[in-house]
Amino acid sequence: MRRTASPLSLILLGLGTFLLVLAPMLAWYVTPRAAVNPIDIDTTAVYKGTGSVFDTDKIETVPDQEITVTQRVRGNVAESERSGNAVWDVITTVDTDKSLPAADPHDALDFTPHRWVMDRKTTRPVHCCEESPYIEGEAYLKFPFDVEKRSYQWWDNTGGTTITMRYDGTEKVQGYTGYRFTGTVAPRKVGTRLVPGSLVDEPDRPQVLAEEWYSNHGFKLVVDQATGRVVYAQTGPRRTLRAPGADKDAAVLLDSEKIAFTTATQKEAVRQAKRDSGQLRMVGRTLPIGAAGAGFVLAVVGGVLVVRGRKRPESTGAVEMPQPTLTI
């Protein structure tokens, strides 16, 4: 008797081998190429809080004002494809109830357009494509993929510099757990502004090139570990004016201890984080583990069937002679 492999055993063995090869390719080749920042992003984040705001009509700082910060991020697909990086155009507006709703964002209390260019894989800033301002640090608007439990250098666009965001444990946002990072900004000069001298305690001078100072009571960011998406953001900006060379604030332009993501913005950020991290988890963990397990089982079953084969009677090699026929 001799053994021959059945077609089924060969199919099982081949499929099992294919899945065993596919598993590490999904984990080590496909996943890194899936974890890239998009170029066609179009998202809006809204922050709300209360604080003091300088009223240009009254020429004084008015307390207990509702403050709305709107941040619109749009990917410039043409520039991104041309450069190979992610080119995001960002518009940030600061409004009070007095300036909302605004038909034109330029009518806001503060209007700041800028462009951020980053490496699609590392999220590090790339200096090209008419980037403005010159952004530095490890993260801005989002963290890199696979966020670690350590401090990161975060770009603070209002201050025009990087700040240290320290890992501060985990926190749930709308039922979703993320890494919490916190940081503060000490007062620093960020520019100058031509104002009436009386505004900065110099009434004898009709106009003064006052110094504009900025600090922050505290940043808090809650970040999705897999994607680096910010699911909750809180900031406490303080912007003031000082007389040239003075060491004390003379006028407050904006001061709020807490301006944070609205509930709607939190829910949308969590929804996107769940979707994107789920896709990465499927490609990087679920599918490779499943493919490896199924491949191992199929390869073993197919191999056993190949070894066992099917028994068939062996040929003796003798040639049977035909019987003579009788003739009359």
Side-chain angles (χ1 to χ4, degrees), residues 34-186:
V36 294
N37 292 302
I39 62 175
D40 58 348
I41 187 173
D42 188 348
T43 184
T44 300
V46 180
Y47 303 66
K48 281 190 176 293
T50 59
S52 300
V53 177
F54 188 81
D55 190 318
T56 54
D57 294 332
K58 297 180 179 180
I59 317 297
E60 65 179 12
T61 301
V62 181
D64 302 322
Q65 298 295 296
E66 293 289 335
I67 301 171
T68 301
V69 178
T70 306
Q71 192 172 64
R72 178 75 180 269
V73 183
R74 276 184 169 178
N76 190 313
V77 177
E79 286 286 352
S80 298
E81 291 177 342
R82 184 161 39 247
S83 67
N85 303 299
V87 181
W88 292 2
D89 291 322
V90 187
I91 293 178
T92 304
T93 57
V94 180
D95 288 280
T96 61
D97 289 344
K98 183 179 178 180
S99 60
L100 285 175
D104 187 335
H106 292 81
D107 297 334
L109 181 68
D110 186 69
F111 172 82
T112 308
H114 56 286
R115 171 171 286 187
W116 181 34
V117 185
M118 71 178 124
D119 184 282
R120 296 190 65 192
K121 294 180 180 179
T122 66
T123 316
R124 290 272 186 172
V126 178
H127 307 299
C128 74
C129 316
E130 300 181 3
E131 169 211 28
S132 177
Y134 190 92
I135 295 175
E136 299 178 291
E138 298 174 278
Y140 174 51
L141 299 182
K142 73 176 295 293
F143 279 63
F145 293 92
D146 293 322
V147 181
E148 301 174 4
K149 296 179 180 180
R150 64 173 179 85
S151 296
Y152 282 84
Q153 293 301 305
W154 175 268
W155 175 257
D156 178 9
N157 198 61
T158 304
T161 187
T162 58
I163 64 172
T164 300
M165 295 296 293
R166 296 177 176 82
Y167 174 73
D168 192 28
T170 61
E171 184 172 323
K172 283 191 175 182
V173 176
Q174 303 297 323
Y176 189 75
T177 302
Y179 286 2
R180 181 176 61 242
F181 294 86
T182 57
T184 58
V185 180

Side-chain angles (χ1 to χ4, degrees), residues 269-317:
V270 167
R271 184 192 68 80
Q272 295 184 22
K274 286 182 177 179
R275 180 199 63 193
D276 296 344
S277 61
Q279 292 174 350
L280 289 177
R281 185 166 53 251
M282 181 183 298
V283 175
R285 185 183 307 169
T286 306
L287 289 180
I289 292 175
F296 177 77
V297 172
L298 292 175
V300 169
V301 173
V304 170
L305 292 177
V306 167
V307 171
R308 293 179 60 184
R310 292 184 304 178
K311 294 182 178 180
R312 288 185 178 179
E314 294 191 15
S315 174
T316 60

Side-chain angles (χ1 to χ4, degrees), residues 226-239:
T227 64
R229 179 183 291 276
V230 177
V231 296
Y232 177 84
Q234 176 182 314
T235 180
R238 177 178 171 84
R239 299 173 64 177

Side-chain angles (χ1 to χ4, degrees), residues 54 56 59 193-210 241-244 250-251:
F54 188 81
T56 54
I59 317 297
R193 182 179 298 197
L194 192 63
V195 299
S198 59
L199 195 60
V200 289
D201 300 328
E202 294 194 6
D204 296 334
R205 301 175 63 182
Q207 287 188 320
V208 174
L209 192 62
L241 292 177
R242 296 182 183 182

Side-chain angles (χ1 to χ4, degrees), residues 233-256:
Q234 176 182 314
T235 180
R238 177 178 171 84
R239 299 173 64 177
T240 61
L241 292 177
R242 296 182 183 182
D247 57 3
K248 292 184 179 180
D249 298 330
V252 175
L253 300 177
L254 173 67
D255 188 16
S256 175

